[in-house]
């Protein structure tokens, strides 16, 4: 373990042990010990969906990271908050007794309004693995935006429902490029620590890691990275690491060790439902209307904003159209959701005061995937924890930070699999198509080439050192690079451009952006800790000065 380093000083402060000691105050009423996948004790949906004609002080569009932080802090400041979420509540077990479907057997719960799965890894050993599923308001949206598929979580908790929980604070030396207009001292002294605490971030116990069967794939990744001279770094995560150790011991129901990821985790992952949203529920001031999709926001004649909402059923059909009034509206629909709404509202004249930065500055966080085929003496294990815990850091020299990711197929594959985050400089723009009445994104697949080149700065070297080759069977036939997708959409309503330096939209007082749309395309690491920390920073200012 000698030269294995912790990724950054900031998250080292929230050590695994300290997190566990602190959970009582962080999570308030909810019990971590039981690990039930259940939603918070006081339900956010108990009050029923918002009625048409309602007037609310604050309406938050979306229940991901930005929305959850905003709702909690406003509620703690004494403000009643109505959250509107197009996805489902994800608080009720399906016919198999579980809330979420398994990664290896996607079903009706897995995809957002599709009749066929669109799995990020589309092929295996030369065979396509997608299959037909009933059309349903499932948890993972594979949104096809022309040149790129943008994967997003749908439901109460947003991306926290589907993601790998990798909770990474950027290295401070990279922060200036991530959010140039934000005071780094404040972020690293106050808001990153606050976000890490609120999210319940911890790190795998290195001693356990060294012996756990389920991390053989990560140890192979570490060994090969180090043999090629790259630092392997432990990556913090919001998974409950004690719970994972109990999974390995066979004393609790399995989640990470059952390969759960992408379509929800039934037990050990601390999604927002178990952290920020549980705390929000405990205030008694926050209500969520699931299966409600905001379609318009425009100035109301008597002040505030008129918000149009479609209530939908699980086939995606509209069952009611509601009109409500809100004094303030917080856009937290995610980078794509917020950008699409704002671009439409500006183009159609609903929000004429928005400036010409709306829709600009969108990036994919440089995501690109690849697999490598190891020799027979380097098996990666039939049992693989679905939660990654390490990465290869070549950001400064090569522009790439590569997660050593699992391939939880349940069989020995001898494969190493990686999701790289790269310093891709390309930025795309959303625009309104009046003919189709839709918003498009002008990203080109060829714009991934810099990402591929940066990822190759790591994997060409490892392959040369190990005498190994890339896998060509994961993304099609003879296709090495997963360059068709992103998990990390960022930008479209960039901080200090489309908004002021705290997320207030220019041109319309009382409208705010609080999610990943604020971040100009790249965070140098996985993004949700930065989205959370920025939301903490901005809402503190907004509460102090606007309310
Ligand atoms: P987000 O969490 O996307 O929440 C937006 C919410 O708004 C969603 O629940 C939408 O359903 C809802 N919504 C959208 N439009 C509307 C509308 N019109 N009306 C009502 N509701 C609406 O936004 N990041 C990491 O840092 N670490 C990881 O390990 C990681 N792994 C990932 C794995 C996968 C498969 C995916 C898809 C993402 C992953 N991410 C990861 C990215 C992370 O989840 C994402 O950056 C955040 O969720 C974005 O947070 P926001 O608050 O911007």
């Amino acid at each position: 373990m000698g030269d294995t380093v912790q990724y950054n000083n900031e998250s080292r402060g929230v050590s695994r042990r300290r997190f566990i000691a602190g959970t009582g105050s962080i999570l308030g009423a909810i019990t971590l010990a039981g690990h039930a996948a259940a939603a918070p004790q006081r339900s956010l949906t108990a009050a029923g969906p918002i009625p048409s004609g309602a007037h609310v002080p604050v309406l938050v569009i979306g229940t991901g990271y930005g929305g959850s932080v905003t709702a909690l802090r406003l509620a703690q400041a004494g403000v009643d908050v109505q959250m509107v979420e197009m996805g489902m509540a994800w608080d009720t077990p399906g016919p198999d007794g579980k809330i979420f479907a398994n990664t290896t057997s996607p079903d009706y719960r897995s995809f957002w309004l599709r009749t066929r799965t669109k799995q990020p890894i589309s092929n295996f050993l030369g065979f396509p693995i997608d299959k037909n599923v009933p059309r349903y308001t499932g948890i993972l949206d594979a949104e096809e935006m022309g040149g790129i598929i943008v994967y997003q979580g749908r439901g109460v908790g947003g991306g926290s429902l589907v993601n790998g929980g990798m909770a990474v604070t950027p290295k401070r030396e990279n922060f200036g490029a991530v959010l140039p207009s934000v005071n780094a001292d404040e972020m690293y002294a106050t808001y990153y620590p606050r976000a890490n605490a609120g999210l319940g971030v911890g790190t795998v116990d290195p001693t356990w890691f060294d012996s756990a069967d389920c991390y053989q794939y990560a140890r192979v990744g570490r060994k090969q990275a180090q043999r090629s001279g790259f630092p392997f770094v432990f990556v913090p995560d919001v998974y409950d690491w004690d719970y994972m150790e109990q999974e390995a011991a066979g004393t609790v129901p399995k989640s990470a060790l059952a390969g759960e990821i992408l379509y929800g985790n039934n037990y050990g992952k601390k999604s927002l439902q178990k952290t920020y949203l549980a705390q929000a529920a405990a205030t008694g001031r926050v209500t969520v209307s699931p299966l409600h999709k905001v379609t318009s926001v425009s100035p109301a004649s008597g002040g505030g904003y008129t918000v149009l909402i479609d209530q939908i059923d699980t086939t995606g059909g509209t069952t009611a159209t509601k009109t409500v009034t809100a004094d303030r509206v917080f856009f937290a629909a995610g980078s794509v959701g917020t950008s699409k709404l704002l671009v439409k509202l500006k183009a159609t004249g609903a929000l004429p005061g928005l400036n010409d930065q709306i829709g600009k500055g969108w990036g994919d966080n440089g995501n690109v995937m690849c697999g490598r085929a190891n020799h027979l003496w380097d098996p990666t294990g039939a049992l693989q924890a679905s939660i990654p815990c390490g990465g290869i850091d070549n950001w400064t020299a090569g522009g790439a930070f590569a997660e050593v990711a699992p391939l939880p197929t349940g069989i020995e594959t001898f494969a190493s699999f990686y999701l790289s985050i790269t310093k891709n400089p390309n930025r795309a723009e959303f625009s309104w198509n009046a003919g189709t009445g839709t918003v498009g994104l002008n990203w080109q697949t060829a714009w991934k080439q810099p990402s591929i080149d940066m990822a190759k700065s790591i994997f060409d070297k490892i392959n040369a050192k190990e005498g190994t080759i890339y896998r060509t069977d994961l993304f099609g036939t003879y296709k090495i690079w997963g360059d068709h997708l992103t998990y990390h959409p960022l930008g479209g309503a960039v901080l200090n451009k489309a908004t002021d330096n705290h997320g207030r939209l220019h041109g319309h007082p009382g409208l705010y952006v609080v999610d990943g749309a604020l971040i100009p395309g790249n965070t140098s690491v996985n993004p949700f800790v930065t989205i959370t920390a920025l939301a903490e920073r901005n809402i503190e200012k907004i509460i102090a000065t606007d309310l």
Side-chain angles (χ1 to χ4, degrees):
M1 291 298 305
D3 52 349
T4 301
V5 294
Q6 178 79 30
Y7 193 60
N8 60 68
N9 292 330
E10 292 70 32
S11 52
R12 190 189 293 142
V14 188
S15 72
R16 175 169 163 275
R17 296 292 162 209
R18 203 179 111 196
F19 161 66
I20 289 160
T23 45
S25 59
I26 294 166
L27 301 179
I30 71 152
T31 326
L32 263 180
H35 300 291
Q41 283 174 349
R42 190 201 293 248
S43 170
L44 290 162
T45 53
I50 189 168
S52 195
H55 183 150
V56 296
V58 163
L59 188 138
V60 177
I61 309 171
T63 57
Y65 294 92
S68 298
V69 171
T70 301
L72 171 63
R73 299 308 176 201
L74 285 167
Q76 287 174 331
V79 181
D80 289 332
V81 179
Q82 172 67 53
M83 304 182 84
V84 178
E85 168 57 53
M86 69 193 265
M88 303 196 9
W90 298 111
D91 56 1
T92 311
D96 59 358
K98 295 194 168 173
I99 294 178
F100 304 114
N102 194 274
T103 318
T104 51
S105 48
D107 62 21
Y108 68 98
R109 289 168 289 194
S110 302
F111 280 87
W112 179 256
L113 300 177
R114 276 184 176 273
T115 53
R116 193 165 171 78
T117 66
K118 190 89 186 169
Q119 302 185 64
I121 297 176
S122 58
N123 292 60
F124 194 64
L125 301 174
F127 295 100
I129 57 173
D130 280 313
K131 64 174 200 179
N132 294 340
V133 285
R135 184 181 156 90
Y136 190 77
T137 46
I139 200 162
L140 184 65
D141 194 353
E143 192 170 358
E144 295 179 71
M145 306 289 301
I148 193 164
I149 301 172
V150 184
Y151 284 90
Q152 297 152 91
R154 295 278 175 248
V156 176
S160 79
L161 295 165
V162 299
N163 68 30
M166 299 181 84
V168 195
T169 302
K171 281 183 175 169
R172 186 166 173 154
E173 70 217 49
N174 297 329
F175 183 79
V178 174
L179 284 165
S181 64
V182 173
N183 183 322
D185 290 344
E186 286 178 8
M187 288 297 281
Y188 285 85
T190 303
Y191 303 109
Y192 274 121
R194 189 176 294 171
N196 276 287
L199 294 164
V201 177
T203 307
V204 66
D205 177 345
T207 309
W208 181 74
F209 170 84
D210 272 338
S211 63
D213 289 347
C214 63
Y215 280 123
Q216 187 177 337
Y217 75 93
R219 291 193 299 274
V220 169
R222 177 177 67 185
K223 178 181 75 179
Q224 295 178 340
Q226 291 177 341
R227 277 210 292 240
S228 287
F230 297 114
F232 175 91
V233 293
F234 279 122
V235 172
D237 201 282
V238 298
Y239 204 85
D240 181 336
W241 293 103
D242 275 359
Y243 189 82
M244 197 190 295
E245 292 187 27
Q246 293 169 48
E247 290 181 45
T251 56
V252 294
K254 290 185 171 56
S255 185
L257 270 54
E260 290 179 351
I261 190 81
L262 291 179
Y263 311 135
N265 282 71
N266 282 297
Y267 304 103
K269 193 173 80 179
K270 287 169 280 164
S271 68
L272 289 166
Q273 287 182 327
K274 296 183 181 177
T275 57
Y276 276 95
L277 287 173
Q279 277 200 289
T283 67
R285 289 192 176 276
V286 180
T287 303
V288 178
S289 298
L291 291 175
H292 279 59
K293 179 175 182 176
V294 170
T295 58
S296 178
V297 177
S298 58
S301 50
Y305 292 89
T306 301
V307 182
L308 301 185
I309 305 172
D310 282 348
Q311 181 169 6
I312 60 175
D313 61 22
T314 56
T315 69
T318 301
T319 56
T321 298
K322 301 180 176 180
T323 305
V324 306
T325 312
D327 298 336
R328 296 169 198 281
V329 178
F330 291 79
F331 288 80
S335 161
V336 175
T338 291
S339 301
K340 283 170 64 178
L341 264 176
L342 291 174
V343 165
K344 178 178 98 170
L345 298 175
K346 177 174 161 59
T348 57
L351 292 176
L354 297 178
N355 74 14
D356 65 3
Q357 293 295 314
I358 295 295
K360 293 184 176 159
W362 186 89
D364 67 341
N365 211 25
N367 281 189
V368 65
M369 292 178 177
C370 68
R372 291 179 38 260
N374 290 306
H375 294 295
L376 292 181
W377 56 84
D378 267 337
T380 47
L383 174 67
Q384 303 198 354
S386 62
I387 298 299
C389 69
I392 304 168
D393 183 8
N394 196 35
W395 189 261
T396 307
F401 172 68
E403 297 167 6
V404 179
L407 212 51
T409 57
I411 56 168
E412 176 57 60
T413 62
F414 300 95
S416 286
F417 185 60
Y418 309 90
L419 168 63
S420 298
I421 294 163
T422 65
K423 214 187 264 182
N424 189 314
N426 290 309
R427 295 293 178 269
E429 184 175 346
F430 293 91
S431 58
W432 174 246
N433 182 330
T436 58
T438 56
V439 176
L441 179 72
N442 67 352
W443 182 270
Q444 313 289 314
T445 304
W447 291 2
K448 286 280 194 184
Q449 191 57 46
S451 294
I452 293 173
D453 295 341
M454 290 170 193
K456 280 162 74 79
S457 77
I458 296 175
F459 302 114
D460 279 3
K461 195 167 171 189
I462 291 179
N463 276 337
K465 178 79 184 172
E466 303 292 329
T468 51
I469 56 170
Y470 289 102
R471 293 282 291 227
T472 57
D473 64 325
L474 299 175
F475 306 107
T477 313
Y478 299 114
K479 183 161 167 38
I480 291 175
W481 297 100
D483 59 355
H484 57 297
L485 57 76
T486 186
Y487 286 171
H488 299 164
L490 293 166
V494 169
L495 188 77
N496 216 27
K497 290 188 172 173
T499 72
D500 76 357
N501 206 21
H502 288 87
R504 302 177 184 95
L505 273 161
H506 289 301
H508 292 283
L511 296 186
Y512 308 85
V513 177
V514 296
D515 58 15
L518 290 171
I519 297 175
N522 200 293
T523 51
S524 75
V525 290
N526 316 61
F528 76 61
V529 174
T530 296
I531 295 170
T532 304
L534 183 64
E536 289 278 19
R537 165 192 180 268
N538 291 352
I539 197 63
E540 187 178 85
K541 181 75 165 184
I542 290 163
I543 288 169
T545 57
D546 295 18
L547 297 174

